[in-house]
């Protein structure tokens, strides 16, 4: 009986909701945008941590489908921040072996941002040290709906029979299907919800929440999250005894598959 997901102490895939930029700025009586800029620096802290600790995939929720509804000024400033970050960081990420990709509704972004996204993806496509996925204009329900639409199109075109649709086929059509599902989810900023992030992919993910506001993220906070993750027993619907038995009989490399 294979263990379906990771049981190793270091997560292979970390998914993060970066929350609290606005409150960080408000506490300093500064505009929200200052919080987002500080948040962009915390992104680097998180990437450095993953590279140092051998975490192979990092998915960051940068902008949700719902965030388009924020005040126009904030949305415009965030777009500028994304554009600048892409221009500034991509060569260095490439040098460090990071593969960058974007998930979400791309068509909603301006041509200049789209070109930058495309450039970042093409430049870093061959890198394998860290798979960095940026969820931008992303929504988990929309991800699932698009997967359903793709399957429906395949059925309508005669490429797929309805009876061949199961969890495995469905799972190949959602975002990040080529990566292991996130082992650990972190949300900063004190709220304890997943806010329409990676709904399908988080089914068996360990969830960890912290009051720390995103711009205050440091290696210590991330270490706490990893320690909490390492102390959990992941059962994937099995009993504790079954998982313990499997863990002693299956070499870690096989269990990680
Ligand atoms: C949520 O905090 C944060 C966002 C909607 C934007 C996230 C953007 C960044 C971290 C900056 C840059 C990112 C990249 C990938 C370069 P919030 O504004 O909802 O904070 P609040 O809940 O305190 O108001």
């Amino acid at each position: 009986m294979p263990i379906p997901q990771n049981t190793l102490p270091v997560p292979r895939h970390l998914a993060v909701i970066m929350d609290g930029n606005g409150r960080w700025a408000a506490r300093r009586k500064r505009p929200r945008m200052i919080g987002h800029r500080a948040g962009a620096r915390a992104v680097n802290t998180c990437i450095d941590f993953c590279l140092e600790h051998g975490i192979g995939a990092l998915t960051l929720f940068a902008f949700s489908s719902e965030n388009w509804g924020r005040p126009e000024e904030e949305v415009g400033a965030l777009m500028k921040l994304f554009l600048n970050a892409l221009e500034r960081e991509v060569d260095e990420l490439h040098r460090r072996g990071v593969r960058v990709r974007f998930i979400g509704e791309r068509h909603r972004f301006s041509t200049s941002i789209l070109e930058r996204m495309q450039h970042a993806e093409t430049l870093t496509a061959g890198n394998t040290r860290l798979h960095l996925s940026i969820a931008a204009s992303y929504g988990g329900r929309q991800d699932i709906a698009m997967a359903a639409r793709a399957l429906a199109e395949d059925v309508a075109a005669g490429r797929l029979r309805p009876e061949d649709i199961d969890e495995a086929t469905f799972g190949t059509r959602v975002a990040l299907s080529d990566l292991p599902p996130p082992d650990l989810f972190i949300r900063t900023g004190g709220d304890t919800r997943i806010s329409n992030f990676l709904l399908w992919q988080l089914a068996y993910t360990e969830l960890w929440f912290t009051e720390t506001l995103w711009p205050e993220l440091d290696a210590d906070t991330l270490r706490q999250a990893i320690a909490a993750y390492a102390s959990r027993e992941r059962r994937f619907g099995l009993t504790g005894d079954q998982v313990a038995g499997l863990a002693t009989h299956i070499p870690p490399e096989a269990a990680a598959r």
Side-chain angles (χ1 to χ4, degrees), residues 91-109:
D91 287 342
E92 180 63 7
L93 290 171
H94 179 46
R95 195 190 62 74
R96 298 171 84 192
V98 178
R99 178 182 173 184
V100 182
R101 79 170 91 175
F102 298 87
I103 58 169
E105 305 164 296
R106 250 170 225 250
H107 63 271
R108 297 189 70 174
F109 290 99

Side-chain angles (χ1 to χ4, degrees), residues 22-33:
R23 278 164 286 163
W24 183 88
R27 283 180 196 172
R28 286 160 181 74
K29 303 197 180 346
R30 307 296 307 276
R32 291 177 59 80
M33 219 31 230

Side-chain angles (χ1 to χ4, degrees), residues 166-185:
D166 56 14
E167 277 188 38
T169 20
F170 204 99
T172 63
R173 300 308 182 97
V174 293
L176 310 179
S177 60
D178 57 325
L179 295 176
D183 295 308
L184 175 63
F185 161 98

Side-chain angles (χ1 to χ4, degrees), residues 18-24 32 36 39-40 43 60-63 67 70 74 78 81-82 85 134 214:
M18 313 180 283
D19 197 15
N21 294 349
R23 278 164 286 163
W24 183 88
R32 291 177 59 80
H36 292 314
V43 168
L60 299 173
F61 205 2
F63 195 81
N67 286 153
R70 290 192 175 200
E74 182 171 341
L78 268 171
L81 180 67
F82 293 148
I134 313 273
W214 178 252

Side-chain angles (χ1 to χ4, degrees), residues 9-23:
V10 175
R12 291 170 302 172
H13 184 172
L14 174 62
V16 185
I17 294 190
M18 313 180 283
D19 197 15
N21 294 349
R23 278 164 286 163

